[in-house]
Amino acid sequence: MQGSSNRPIITLLSDFGSLYPAEMKGAILSRTRDAVLVDISHEISPQEIRAGAFALMVAARAFPEGTVHLAVVDPGVGTDRLGLVVESGGHIFVGPDNGLLIPAAESLGSPKAWMIDPSFAHGAAPTFHGRDVFAPAAAMLASGRKPESFGPRVSPKTIDFGGARVIDSGMKAEVIYVDGFGNLILNASEIPEGEFVLSGRRVRRVRTYAEAGCDEPLITIGSHGFAEIAVNGGSAKELFGLAPGNRIVLERENCSE
Amino acid sequence: MQGSSNRPIITLLSDFGSLYPAEMKGAILSRTRDAVLVDISHEISPQEIRAGAFALMVAARAFPEGTVHLAVVDPGVGTDRLGLVVESGGHIFVGPDNGLLIPAAESLGSPKAWMIDPSFAHGAAPTFHGRDVFAPAAAMLASGRKPESFGPRVSPKTIDFGGARVIDSGMKAEVIYVDGFGNLILNASEIPEGEFVLSGRRVRRVRTYAEAGCDEPLITIGSHGFAEIAVNGGSAKELFGLAPGNRIVLERENCSE
Amino acid sequence: MQGSSNRPIITLLSDFGSLYPAEMKGAILSRTRDAVLVDISHEISPQEIRAGAFALMVAARAFPEGTVHLAVVDPGVGTDRLGLVVESGGHIFVGPDNGLLIPAAESLGSPKAWMIDPSFAHGAAPTFHGRDVFAPAAAMLASGRKPESFGPRVSPKTIDFGGARVIDSGMKAEVIYVDGFGNLILNASEIPEGEFVLSGRRVRRVRTYAEAGCDEPLITIGSHGFAEIAVNGGSAKELFGLAPGNRIVLERENCSE
């Protein structure tokens, strides 16, 4: 018997909300009860692959080597899109070949990807590979099955979060994730010098939320290493009316005005 | 000591949202820490026994034999409604005698039901049998206590999801569950031939979501074996304004028009 | 190796919604995989310390002695507010020194508090002590590290829920928590004699929800020992438009009118 201090960890991420994640867990626990199951989030906006990829990237790095990450945001389920096992930095990722897994894998090392042979999906419900393909694969990987045993090496589809672009008048960026506080996380890992204005409101550059005044918009480098726009004691999502995928221009404040 | 590969599984389902499920888990863990605890959903619409019964039925079958399912959607708590232990197909169910447990139990085998002797509820808070009666019972069952030790055999209250009815002009059905994508799950396990219209919109019959066009309404047999109406890339719940319990008529499209 | 029946329990409570709780769990599991992790709630209203303190108090008492409770509702993160380890009644609490932990600790015994030496936060993200300070501390405490090893004894900041006040014409109280049913939990552990009116609607005093008529407002002592206003089959939050922090007057019904 395996010591509990060596129990494998399986994380789960999806856009399923409730109920369907439990079916994935049942499929895992039907194969192994040794794994520690940890939900990253099942509240990814439906079919928002980029938001899911960001959440997976941020959360995966908090887990130790050897963790298996099962991630399913899968608008192409039932088509001929491949299923993947990806290994990087000692972590293993399982999910659809639509870019979801790649930013996380790239942030941890040099990803190697294998397809899951379509025969593995034999008998799977055409609308729920999370339960019938990826969860069983995750259980097997957590139990020691090798990624290369699932199929041949492939080049996975990739996505990247672009990069925010510093321009003369400020910075162009994209909102890639909105968290539970309504903080807007941008595709920028640095904030240029100066003070900024967004949609006519001054956005204060701070090191931590509490430096801003009450209800004051702020920009800071968040705990995940990305720039985020927040409102101290409020919701930047509501104040600015922005959502994942929206592009913004942070204008440098003109001090001579 | 029990090997972790034999750890019992306890699933939890309720309409509690957050906080109260943790109290049930505390009550279980105060009795045994061996069990693997898995949330099915705590987001069942308040007091919607039928929606809870559907979710339990769908999720229970994903778990292995021996699993204990603790389910509490319990508008009658504190009245003289009975508490039940139900065994079926090697699974054990614990919860109120209001029909919640029965579709799941019937889908797994031939249910046998025992009442939980009211003396077991001695000292229980009149508004929270989930924590004070059913969670302790689930912990005991997971630790090997026999269902018949809780009280005499009884005939449980049942509910069924009726059956959708094929009519000349199409199909009459009921929405029994709305999932996190806004998909409308119907009380139908088959879809009659033809093309359909719902509320004036064509609903395309497909095998998997991606076969439909962007934002196109579709009907398919979902991963749970029931017909569901979805919108590819959108929410059928929002498009059609429907909720659990609503009855609908899917009209067969008249090709001669 | 530790027997699973002795596994330590770590509960988690925050206002984070999804994603960030997984990072805290990753930080814990990177240090120990023996612990049973249980979410109390991550749906506390953002930065509502009082609502978080209530939820922690209610849930903590359902867990056995030895449980470590990790709680983070932390508007002052990144300022010089202290981090705390608190011991009371055999339970251990970890979180910010803003009152969040104290009602729970006081309800279980006589709290002793130690600060977490600021050197422990060296390298922590200034916006996420939950992951970088409190989660590692919780893992260490669950693995046997002593509270007093984190820093010197301190007097923690406290909050209390005031007390509802019985007045001639009824009762003045505060809504301290709103649960998933929309029930309004008040800072009152008793309900004075009589019948009440709130915002022009009669509120019936009952022992359990089902004693009230359909859609009838009611007041009862909830499973947590506090008075709560509910609507049988509905939501008191919606009916009365109330939120945590709101003060109300329950007027005694004048029978002579």
Side-chain angles (χ1 to χ4, degrees), chain A residues 10 23-25 27-28 31 70 94 129-140:
Chain A
I10 300 176
E23 292 185 74
M24 295 201 293
K25 292 175 190 177
I28 292 168
R31 286 165 181 82
L70 165 58
V94 190
H129 283 194
R131 177 190 67 193
D132 295 343
V133 178
F134 301 129
M140 292 172 190

Side-chain angles (χ1 to χ4, degrees), chain B residues 1-2 7 15-27 29-30 33-35 37 39 46-47 75-79 125-128 131-132, chain C residues 1-9 36 38-41 43 55 58-59 62-65 177 179-181 185 207-210 222-224 228 233:
Chain B
M1 186 200 145
Q2 192 173 33
R7 292 164 67 199
D15 58 352
F16 293 160
S18 64
L19 183 51
Y20 303 136
E23 292 184 74
M24 294 200 294
K25 293 176 189 176
L29 293 169
S30 296
R33 301 184 193 189
D34 283 323
L37 304 183
D39 294 310
Q47 315 200 339
V77 64
T79 67
T127 55
F128 199 0
R131 177 190 67 193
D132 294 343
Chain C
M1 185 200 146
Q2 192 172 34
S4 59
S5 52
N6 296 318
R7 293 164 67 200
I9 300 167
V36 183
V38 182
D39 294 310
I40 291 178
S41 174
E43 308 304 326
V58 162
F63 288 83
E65 282 190 23
Y177 193 80
D179 73 14
F181 294 103
I185 297 161
R207 206 182 66 93
T208 188
Y209 308 127
S223 62
H224 30 63
E228 67 182 58

Side-chain angles (χ1 to χ4, degrees), chain A residues 2-252:
Chain A
Q2 192 173 33
S4 58
S5 52
N6 296 319
R7 293 164 66 200
I9 300 167
I10 300 176
T11 75
L12 299 97
L13 176 142
S14 76
D15 58 352
F16 292 159
S18 65
L19 183 52
Y20 303 136
E23 292 185 74
M24 295 201 293
K25 292 175 190 177
I28 292 168
L29 293 169
S30 296
R31 286 165 181 82
T32 174
R33 300 185 194 188
D34 283 323
V36 183
L37 304 182
V38 182
D39 294 311
I40 291 178
S41 175
H42 299 290
E43 308 304 325
I44 303 300
S45 299
Q47 315 199 339
E48 284 288 345
I49 297 168
R50 290 167 68 81
F54 173 79
L56 183 62
M57 177 180 66
V58 162
R61 61 179 73 155
F63 288 83
E65 283 191 22
T67 299
V68 175
H69 303 281
L70 165 58
V72 190
V73 178
D74 193 13
V77 65
T79 68
D80 58 1
R81 72 102 186 85
L82 297 179
L84 292 184
V85 177
V86 179
E87 190 282 328
S88 187
H91 291 240
I92 299 174
F93 299 85
V94 190
D97 180 25
N98 61 16
L100 176 67
L101 312 177
I102 304 310
E106 287 181 339
S107 80
L108 289 167
S110 300
K112 288 185 205 171
W114 295 265
M115 65 180 277
I116 298 176
D117 192 277
S119 67
F120 194 85
H122 185 72
T127 55
F128 199 179
H129 283 194
R131 177 190 67 193
D132 295 343
V133 178
F134 301 129
M140 292 172 190
L141 288 158
S143 301
R145 182 165 165 173
K146 297 292 172 207
E148 56 267 33
S149 74
F150 285 87
R153 280 287 292 274
V154 290
S155 283
K157 294 216 169 78
T158 60
I159 58 176
D160 69 61
F161 298 117
R165 206 151 53 86
V166 178
I167 54 178
D168 274 3
S169 60
M171 181 167 71
K172 286 186 169 183
E174 182 195 339
V175 177
I176 51 178
Y177 193 80
V178 178
D179 73 14
F181 295 102
N183 297 343
L184 307 166
I185 298 162
L186 306 180
N187 61 341
S189 53
E190 289 181 287
I191 305 168
E193 291 301 312
E195 297 295 321
F196 298 96
V197 171
L198 176 62
S199 305
R201 288 172 177 276
R202 216 176 154 205
V203 176
R204 185 164 167 189
R205 182 202 182 105
V206 298
R207 206 182 66 93
T208 188
Y209 308 127
E211 287 176 35
C214 202
D215 294 326
E216 189 182 16
L218 62 92
I219 186 166
T220 190
I221 296 293
S223 62
H224 30 64
F226 284 72
E228 67 182 58
I229 296 172
V231 170
N232 189 24
S235 164
K237 173 191 172 188
E238 286 179 20
L239 182 65
F240 293 107
L242 291 166
N246 289 166
R247 288 164 194 287
I248 63 169
V249 179
L250 273 163
E251 293 175 273
R252 197 171 271 128

